[in-house]
Amino acid sequence: DHGRKDLYRYDVWGGVNRVRDLTDGKLRWGSEPADVAGKVVHGIPAAGMPAAAGLTPAEVRDLTAFVLALPYPPRLPPDVRAAVYPVP
């Protein structure tokens, strides 16, 4: 659900960590494209986010662009927008 559910996980230090809502535009540890791409490629092991090993540079760019566009529905293609922001 793109992080909109109240899902909590324990990090490696035993602290509670809420899964980030990717639709609110508030990303941890930087929201520049290079920051997001780095999190995609390397993961965030302490928070339980695995690295996305095996992605091509083009796939990393596409995934980065998707994550950065999620808070802005008009930037998403119509079919993706309908899946992320369904009309009730």
Side-chain angles (χ1 to χ4, degrees):
D1 191 36
H2 305 93
R4 290 182 280 207
K5 292 182 181 176
D6 283 330
L7 180 61
Y8 293 87
R9 299 185 186 258
Y10 289 101
D11 60 24
V12 295
W13 301 285
V16 177
N17 188 1
R18 185 184 185 284
V19 174
R20 177 61 57 197
D21 179 350
L22 297 177
T23 64
D24 74 2
K26 299 173 189 168
L27 300 175
R28 293 183 188 131
W29 306 300
S31 58
E32 293 295 318
D35 301 325
V36 175
K39 289 180 262 186
V40 167
V41 171
H42 302 292
I44 307 172
M49 180 181 153
L55 294 180
T56 67
E59 291 169 327
V60 171
R61 282 191 304 273
D62 288 346
L63 188 52
T64 298
F66 172 70
V67 168
L68 292 174
L70 277 172
Y72 309 100
R75 294 184 186 175
L76 297 170
D79 58 329
V80 175
R81 184 173 47 243
V84 176
Y85 297 96
V87 178

